[in-house]
Amino acid sequence: MIEIKQLAKRFTVENPKKLSEQEKKDPRLKGRFFHSVQNVNFSCNTGQVLGLLGPNGAGKTTTLRMLSSALKPDSGQILIDGEDVVQNPILARQKIGFLSGSTGLYGRLSGRENIEYFGKLHGMNAQAINDKIEELAQLLDLSTFLDRRSENYSTGMKQKVSIARAVVHSPKVVVLDEPTTGLDIMATQTVIDFIQTLKVQQTPVIFSTHHLDEVKELCDTVTVIDEGTTKFNGDLDSFSALADGSLHQSFLTTIGKV
């Protein structure tokens, strides 16, 4: 189980004159600081999939980067099975598998070598890494390109290997930042099937998306962030009921656009 309590993160605005008119009107801009995340709260239980929704610039990616320990919150808690990973970022990296919006593969290495490298970083031995790669190759349909240089991969191939790299160490929680963006139909379905497999394995999954059909298919719970604050946090049925079953209208209602 992962619990997020009252997360907040601000950034210094180096040159306020360079801000766009829209950025200047954002209520999160206060003096020389932009409060990207102000008060975010949600939880994801064992075996659940949580869909993290919000407009562009709402603070979703900043929130997920804090979960991954790439950013340290200014305040708030991130608890995994009761352990505070903000106070122990090494523990966070051990327990969380994180896929960012950028794949960031080492192009001169093959997909297998990329995954092996991250397995070694997590202290796995060669046999454990090989066994896990074989398992993931089946789940993510990697076999036909796993031993080719990743610089020659399609977007879908890169994303699949990036997901495998993120979960090679069998993390307690998986966090995915828009995992299907830019993928074709077949690659998208592979990612969706993999998330469902994680759910069956009782691994909590948090993923951000703009695709409400994915939310409907995968999610048990929904969290909506707008202007750095949690606007809705509850089960999928409750979210759908906000607008008589229309997830699109429920989303707009939550952020005050209807």
Side-chain angles (χ1 to χ4, degrees):
M1 178 181 181
I2 181 168
E3 299 173 89
I4 287 77
K5 299 181 178 181
Q6 298 179 318
L7 276 192
K9 182 67 179 179
R10 70 178 187 177
F11 298 95
T12 301
V13 179
E14 298 297 340
N15 190 346
K17 294 181 180 179
K18 291 187 176 181
L19 295 175
S20 67
E21 287 304 313
Q22 183 178 359
E23 289 171 327
K24 290 177 181 178
K25 293 177 182 177
D26 195 310
R28 289 174 291 173
L29 180 63
K30 300 171 184 178
R32 294 188 61 85
F33 295 99
F34 183 78
H35 296 255
S36 177
V37 173
Q38 302 187 98
N39 186 14
V40 167
N41 302 270
F42 59 84
S43 62
C44 188
N45 293 323
T46 300
Q48 284 189 336
V49 177
L50 180 147
L52 187 63
L53 307 178
N56 289 331
K60 301 187 302 299
T61 294
T62 300
T63 296
L64 296 184
R65 290 183 68 196
M66 286 189 282
L67 300 195
S68 75
S69 78
L71 286 176
K72 184 175 181 179
D74 294 327
S75 60
Q77 287 185 306
I78 301 168
L79 305 174
I80 299 179
D81 296 334
E83 297 183 271
D84 190 336
V85 298
V86 174
Q87 302 301 320
N88 188 352
I90 293 177
L91 184 66
R93 293 173 195 132
Q94 293 170 343
K95 289 181 174 287
I96 296 174
F98 178 65
L99 175 73
S100 69
S102 172
T103 56
L105 297 177
Y106 296 104
R108 299 177 72 86
L109 299 182
S110 69
R112 184 185 301 276
E113 289 168 336
N114 270 282
I115 301 168
E116 286 176 344
Y117 176 65
F118 274 77
K120 290 175 182 177
L121 288 178
H122 285 289
M124 299 172 65
N125 63 47
Q127 186 61 55
I129 292 172
N130 288 335
D131 290 346
K132 191 65 177 182
I133 288 176
E134 291 308 309
E135 175 191 338
L136 292 169
Q138 294 296 317
L139 290 172
L140 289 166
D141 193 23
L142 306 175
S143 300
T144 58
F145 57 87
L146 191 58
D147 293 301
R148 290 162 44 191
R149 271 191 177 186
S150 60
E151 63 187 358
N152 299 316
Y153 285 176
S154 68
T155 300
M157 292 174 182
K158 289 179 180 178
Q159 192 73 325
K160 289 179 183 181
V161 170
S162 295
I163 292 173
R165 184 184 66 178
V167 301
V168 65
H169 59 302
S170 301
K172 295 286 187 182
V173 178
V174 174
V175 178
L176 307 172
D177 189 3
E178 298 187 14
T180 61
T181 297
L183 303 189
D184 63 24
I185 294 173
M186 295 302 295
T188 295
Q189 190 58 51
T190 298
V191 174
I192 289 173
D193 290 344
F194 181 67
I195 293 173
Q196 290 174 328
T197 298
L198 291 172
K199 183 175 180 178
V200 170
Q201 294 173 347
Q202 296 295 292
T203 302
V205 178
I206 298 168
F207 80 103
S208 67
T209 183
H210 292 291
H211 302 294
L212 294 176
D213 55 333
E214 295 175 0
V215 173
K216 185 175 183 179
E217 181 174 357
L218 291 169
C219 293
D220 302 285
T221 59
V222 174
T223 298
V224 179
I225 297 175
D226 189 26
E227 295 182 347
T229 302
T230 298
K231 300 296 185 180
F232 177 88
N233 182 45
D235 61 69
L236 181 61
D237 288 342
S238 297
F239 181 64
S240 178
L242 293 176
D244 297 323
S246 168
L247 297 187
H248 179 76
Q249 289 300 316
S250 292
F251 175 72
L252 293 177
T253 298
T254 301
I255 64 172
K257 297 300 183 182
V258 292

